[in-house]
Structures are given as C-alpha cells and as structure tokens.
Amino acid sequence: MSYISDVLHALEKRNPGQPEFMQAATEVLDSLEGVVKEHPEYVKNAVLERIVEPDRQVMFRVPWIDDQGVAHVNRGFRVQFNNAIGPYKGGLRLHPSVNLSIIKFLGFEQIFKNSLTGLPIGGGKGGSDFDPKGKSDREIFEFCRSFMTELYRHIGADVDVPAGDIGVGGREIGYLYGTYKRITNRYEGVLTGKGLEYGGSLARTEATGYGLVYLTEEMLKAKGNSFAGKTVAISGSGNVAIYAAEKAAQFGATVVTMSDSTGWIYDKDGIDLTAIKELKEVKRARLSEYKSFRPKAEYSTTGNVWQIACDIALPCATQNELNEEDAKTLVKNKVIAVGEGANMPSTIEAQEFFVKSGVLFAPAKAANAGGVATSALEMSQNSQRLHWTFEEVDAKLHTIMRNIYHQMAAAAEKYGHKGNFIMGANIAGFKKVADAMVAQGIQ
Ligand code: NDP
C-alpha cells in the first residue's frame, strides 16, 4: 500500500543510520494495511506519520569517576515515544551497544506492547552505552547517580516511569531511586522494579519470564498441546531467561540450554536453576563456571543454543540473536513453538520462516509484555499505598497474558491472517493507540 511505504520511505530519509529502529517500524507498519484501509480517519489524522516520531528524545552527558580516580563520559538516552494511553513507560538499558537507534526501536515496540497489556501506559525507553560488566558497586552507584542527576528532570510518577532492562536490575534501580528521591524530595512510584522494602511489587522479578511461559502455554493449549513433557531451548541467562526456565520447569518441561555473551551450556538432563541463580544473581559470574556445578553439562563458545533439538524455543537474550539459518535448524529439528522473551530476538527473515513453516510463533511485544504489565501493577500499588500478595499479582499477570494471546489471535483472524500472531499483535496493539490519538486531535 503506497501510504505505508511512503511513510516508511520518509522515515528512512529522516533517520539515516538507524537500522534497528527501521527494522522495528517496518515490521509493525507492514502489518497495518488492512486496518488502515478500514479506518480512513487514521490517514486523515496522520496517525502513522505521528506514531513513528517520538514525542521527545533526550540525550545527555553522563560523567563519572572510576575506582582509580579516572574520569569517564558516557551518553544517556530517554526517548518518550508516545503517551496517548498513559504515562511513558519502558526500561533503561545499560550496555556498550546502546545507541539512539536501539533505544528508538525499543521505545517504538514498547508503545504496542504496553497497549496489549490493557493497562494505561504509554511507550518510552532509555539507557546508556555504559558497560556495567566488571564494575565495582561503587562505580555502578557513581554512574547511576550521575545518570539520574539529568534524568530526574524528565520523569515522574504521572509523566514517565522507567524500569530495568539489560544491565539494570534491583541494585541499579535502588541507586537510581535513591538519587531521584534525594534530588526531588519526593517519595513516589517514579521507577518500577524497586526493592520490596521500598515500594516494589512481589512477582515483578519473575514477571517477564513467567508471563512468556503463560502466553506460550495458552498458544499451545489452543492446539491441544502444552509444556508438559517438552524439551525447551532458552538463550540468555539473565532476568527473563531464568524465570522463563523456572516456570517452564514448573509446567513439566525440561530446559536444556542457556547462554550468555561469552558462551552457552547444554545440560540434557535439565538445567540446574539453583546453580544458575547462584552464578548470575549472586556472583555475577560467567556461564563457563556452570560445569563446576554440573560436570556432565557441555559448555561451548562456538555455535549457539539453536542447534540443540527442542520442541519449544524461547530466545531471551537480545535483539537479532536468532537468524534465518537458526530458524531453519530449529524447524528441521521439529520445533513446534517459539516464544520471544527478548525484544526483537528473531530477524524478520527468521520470523517469516517460522510462520511459513507452521511453527506457533509468539512475537516479543505480546510474549514478553508480562514485565511491563507487572510494572504497571507496581504503579497501581504505589498509588494505592498498598501491597498485594505474590499470588494476587501472579494471578493478574496470568490473566493479562491469556488476554493478550486471545486479543492477538482474534485480531489476526479478523484481518485475514489467522494464526499469524505477528500481524495479530501489531494490529491489536496499534488500534487502541491509534484510536486514542485520533480522539485527542493532531498533537
Ligand atoms: P539481563 O541483563 O538480565 O540478561 C541479558 C542476558 O542476555 C544475559 O545472559 C546476557 O549475557 C545476554 N546478552 C545480552 N546482550 C547480549 C549480546 N549482545 N549477545 C549475547 N548475549 C547477550 O537482561 P534481561 O533478561 O532483563 O533482558 C533480556 C531481554 O529481554 C532484552 O531483550 C530485554 O529488552 C528483554 N525484556 C526484558 C524485560 C525485563 O523485565 N527484564 C521485559 C521485557 C523485555 P551477558 O551477561 O554475558 O551480557
């Protein structure tokens, strides 16, 4: 359709050198032909042109001093993409690969993901090219304090509520929250993923991984299948990967792989999650040390986890970590379902191959929405000044993930793409935001 390709061409021209952002925008816009045809008011109100342009992009200097007294400068980002349905909401990523293109792709995806949760949250994302690996606690604190010294001007409980992402866990959120509080003298739910002692929600740590498995289970159930008795390959060994593995095992599956950026493990009898938690959550160590817990497990620094035969694949590390070749290997090995835990872990070619091959494929913006959904539940608890039990939050998360599955399945079917949940998630996520944007006028 020429309207959509015109918007994408203009976008590319205006944003040279932003391949990740263009990939995310192309993937979403290419699925909107049917819905745009049905709603001429979206064209009249320039909804597509407006939705691909962030409301605001903040970039700033983050100076800090290391333990040797040497000064460093990193770059900080916060992209406030769209607040048509609620305050900006999205994580902060600390990783040396971070740049504007990556933050924009993540912020753009976040708009639709947040809409799918059914909760009142808009889309945003932020972070820095700071590398937390190998840094002392004091250096992490120093960085977080410097980062928040600028960020605090742009956020607020009803404005923009950041959370964790790659490289940002409970420790970093604590330092960021402490700094925000000190500068503003306000005790408010301005960040999520907080510690339980100071406003955090039970089940937030588990939420993205658990939610991924809840949604994938619902997708399997619609085909009369389930996790029980299945072999599962997982990539990553961070927050999402660990709790996806935990819930998959609770549902009766055997998780046989995990990875980090230096290598991957294959433990055919089932990954020992206590060992993984000890290595990753306590010692912040490399996965290569897993063999000291399980000598029979295999550790490799070549190839990747997708070469291991499995029934269900859950990519939970980072963007573009699963390409077309990997998809072909998985299909050859008879994978039946793929659920994306990481953001945009499959390349567009890999996604297309899965769909063409009849693999049940749950795209990230639906499958990993459990984290942000539970963050929104943390915001609700902060506003009420109440704490809900683990069971209450987990039950709400489970219901939200089931609803997301049914929303995306219904939207796919309605617009002639039955079983294509990439299309379904994009359409369902987009429609609510688009309608809100039309209702609010051209802003
Ligand atoms: P963590 O930092 O806890 O873990 C990330 C994992 O992925 C680590 O095992 C890390 O290995 C690995 N990894 C990171 N970058 C690379 C890379 N370039 N190549 C290979 N491996 C890599 O992050 P999360 O688990 O929180 O996030 C994982 C993914 O899930 C991200 O895409 C994130 O955006 C997404 N996500 C996270 C949510 C959350 O609630 N945490 C919510 C929704 C999405 P190493 O330790 O060696 O770097």
Side-chain angles (χ1 to χ4, degrees):
M1 190 190 187
S2 78
Y3 171 53
I4 288 177
S5 44
D6 286 354
V7 173
L8 284 169
H9 280 132
L11 191 68
E12 183 137 42
K13 220 166 145 195
R14 190 184 264 179
N15 298 285
Q18 297 189 1
E20 293 86 0
F21 174 53
M22 283 310 301
Q23 181 181 341
T26 304
E27 196 243 272
V28 172
L29 267 55
D30 276 350
S31 41
L32 300 178
E33 191 174 331
V35 74
V36 167
K37 211 181 258 169
E38 192 184 80
H39 292 274
E41 71 274 21
Y42 294 165
V43 182
K44 190 163 166 257
N45 285 277
V47 169
L48 293 191
E49 292 91 329
R50 288 191 290 135
I51 211 165
V52 295
E53 189 66 28
D55 290 354
R56 194 167 298 105
Q57 309 178 50
V58 187
M59 283 169 64
F60 51 95
R61 181 174 63 236
V62 190
W64 59 279
I65 296 170
D66 70 20
D67 288 346
Q68 281 69 48
V70 179
H72 299 264
V73 176
N74 285 99
R75 180 172 285 176
F77 300 86
R78 187 71 186 167
V79 173
Q80 297 178 331
F81 227 113
N82 187 297
N83 67 354
I85 62 168
Y88 307 106
K89 180 92 197 83
L92 297 170
R93 176 175 292 191
L94 299 183
H95 193 272
S97 64
V98 163
N99 57 34
L100 187 59
S101 171
I102 288 182
I103 297 299
K104 281 178 69 182
F105 117 63
L106 290 164
F108 185 69
E109 286 277 299
Q110 199 81 47
I111 304 170
F112 309 103
K113 178 187 309 190
N114 293 3
S115 162
L116 282 169
T117 66
L119 300 168
I121 38 179
K125 197 85 187 187
S128 172
D129 57 0
F130 172 78
D131 186 357
K133 268 199 211 94
K135 303 287 190 298
S136 69
D137 277 355
R138 199 206 62 83
E139 288 170 330
I140 297 284
F141 176 68
E142 171 90 1
F143 173 84
C144 289
R145 190 159 62 169
S146 179
F147 185 81
M148 185 53 88
T149 302
E150 172 61 33
L151 187 70
Y152 88 95
R153 296 171 217 283
H154 311 288
I155 61 177
D158 294 314
V159 179
D160 181 355
V161 184
D165 189 72
I166 291 178
V168 177
R171 173 182 59 172
E172 293 74 19
I173 293 291
Y175 294 158
L176 291 164
Y177 190 73
T179 308
Y180 180 86
K181 186 168 61 67
R182 181 151 193 219
I183 296 173
T184 62
N185 197 26
R186 292 174 69 88
Y187 205 103
E188 58 179 25
V190 69
L191 290 163
T192 58
K194 299 186 290 297
L196 294 177
E197 314 77 17
Y198 63 95
S201 173
L202 287 161
R204 174 61 188 91
T205 305
E206 293 83 356
T208 309
Y210 278 21
L212 167 66
V213 173
Y214 291 150
L215 183 132
T216 309
E217 177 81 353
E218 197 68 13
M219 179 170 78
L220 288 162
K221 205 169 95 188
K223 294 279 178 195
N225 220 328
S226 76
F227 268 90
K230 301 295 188 300
T231 300
V232 178
I234 292 185
S235 63
S237 50
N239 174 259
V240 181
I242 288 174
Y243 291 95
E246 183 166 283
K247 186 51 76 179
Q250 284 173 12
F251 278 4
T254 306
V255 178
V256 294
T257 66
M258 285 187 119
S259 65
D260 65 16
S261 52
T262 39
W264 56 281
I265 49 170
Y266 172 50
D267 191 342
K268 70 176 174 23
D269 300 325
I271 298 277
D272 177 350
L273 267 184
T274 313
I276 295 285
K277 286 185 184 177
E278 171 69 18
L279 284 175
K280 290 294 177 183
E281 295 185 332
V282 183
K283 289 167 70 182
R284 299 178 195 273
R286 301 280 80 204
L287 217 44
S288 48
E289 291 183 33
Y290 182 77
K291 273 176 84 71
S292 64
F293 293 86
R294 304 267 286 190
K296 283 194 187 146
E298 293 168 33
Y299 174 75
S300 177
T301 53
T302 55
N304 64 29
V305 300
W306 313 126
Q307 65 199 59
I308 299 298
C310 64
D311 304 304
I312 299 166
L314 303 175
C316 297
T318 194
Q319 65 272 0
N320 293 327
E321 52 157 317
L322 194 166
N323 62 25
E324 191 176 8
E325 280 313 301
D326 301 322
K328 285 183 176 160
T329 307
L330 284 163
V331 169
K332 194 172 82 198
N333 287 333
K334 304 206 163 38
V335 73
I336 54 171
V338 176
E340 295 190 316
N343 282 312
M344 207 166 76
S346 316
T347 61
I348 289 185
E349 297 76 27
Q351 289 188 341
E352 282 169 358
F353 191 79
F354 285 132
V355 172
K356 199 171 70 189
S357 309
V359 173
L360 292 171
F361 183 85
K365 63 174 71 66
N368 71 23
V372 75
T374 308
S375 277
L377 300 179
E378 181 174 332
M379 289 164 72
S380 303
Q381 293 169 76
N382 292 162
S383 301
Q384 287 183 313
R385 301 199 191 285
L386 286 176
H387 276 297
W388 303 339
T389 64
F390 186 96
E391 289 70 26
E392 273 177 283
V393 180
D394 190 38
K396 285 186 173 40
L397 169 67
H398 205 153
T399 304
I400 289 168
M401 299 314 293
R402 280 203 202 100
N403 287 344
I404 294 177
Y405 169 74
H406 292 289
Q407 265 187 78
M408 73 180 182
E413 189 163 356
K414 178 170 176 203
Y415 289 94
H417 309 289
K418 188 168 180 200
N420 184 334
F421 303 132
I422 303 171
M423 290 283 198
N426 286 342
I427 294 167
F430 168 77
K431 219 178 149 301
K432 180 173 163 192
V433 178
D435 290 341
M437 288 171 74
V438 170
Q440 292 168 16
I442 298 182
Q443 308 281 0

